[in-house]
Amino acid sequence: MHTALLTLHIAAGTIGLVAALAALTARKRRGLHTVSGRVFGATVVVVAVTTYALLPFAPDMWWLGIVAAATLAAVAAGVHLARRKPVPNWYRIHLVLMMSAVIAYVTPVAVQFADGNVLAWILPTVVGSPLITYRSLVAAGVLPAWHEALMPWRKTRKRTAEERRQAARA
């Protein structure tokens, strides 16, 4: 039973990482972004459920249940914001929640590959948090989108001053 749960947990996490990468690099509109985002969301559910199912096999890892619950809550809130758009600036909040969940996915992979090294627990957050801040500031229109140089297929037209003001109010 342990092996089957662990295999499902790892498979879902791997699929989730691939889906997250696709969602992060795709244009933010219906299509690849939403499909890969749904796959990522589904894998978060599977990973959280299998985390709780695996905890009896390693009770000293109880705190991973908290991480799983927090990640699941972040994704649920991010999906809710994307679907309902209930508050101004919903996109930036959605972005922070979903990218934070991606950090929660990258961290255990880093820890496994680094054989539990303490830096592997810290580096995904140290690297990811400034990226979240940067992307959030780009979404707010405060900073230019330097990421276009890294992803040339994502070229966007320059927004007018009025469009930037409207985006800031949204």
Side-chain angles (χ1 to χ4, degrees):
M1 181 62 131
H2 177 265
T3 304
L5 285 170
L6 191 57
T7 301
L8 179 60
H9 183 81
I10 293 168
T14 303
I15 293 167
L17 274 175
V18 172
L21 180 62
L24 287 170
T25 58
R27 286 193 171 277
K28 307 307 178 239
R29 60 181 178 202
R30 291 187 193 276
L32 179 60
H33 178 74
T34 53
V35 170
S36 56
R38 287 181 183 132
V39 170
F40 177 68
T43 67
V44 169
V45 172
V46 173
V47 168
V49 168
T50 55
T51 296
Y52 283 104
L54 287 165
L55 284 179
F57 297 101
D60 57 322
M61 303 290 276
W62 61 268
W63 54 273
L64 288 175
I66 297 170
V67 174
T71 304
L72 187 58
V75 170
V79 169
H80 173 76
L81 286 168
R83 288 188 177 163
R84 302 274 192 266
K85 300 168 184 57
V87 294
N89 300 317
W90 68 269
Y91 175 72
R92 287 184 278 171
I93 301 166
H94 166 79
L95 186 142
V96 168
L97 290 167
M98 300 306 275
M99 288 181 74
S100 297
V102 172
I103 290 173
Y105 258 53
V106 169
T107 301
V109 173
V111 169
Q112 283 299 311
F113 281 111
D115 200 28
N117 186 309
V118 70
L119 281 177
W121 285 102
I122 299 167
L123 282 178
T125 301
V126 168
V127 171
S129 296
L131 290 174
I132 292 171
T133 301
Y134 161 73
R135 192 61 189 94
S136 208
L137 292 172
V138 169
V142 175
L143 288 177
W146 291 102
H147 66 277
E148 290 179 353
L150 300 173
M151 297 184 286
W153 62 91
R154 295 275 326 271
K155 290 287 185 205
T156 55
R157 67 178 182 80
K158 298 294 181 202
R159 294 191 298 180
T160 65
E162 178 59 30
E163 289 172 326
R164 284 193 300 276
R165 280 192 294 276
Q166 286 177 350
R169 280 187 242 128

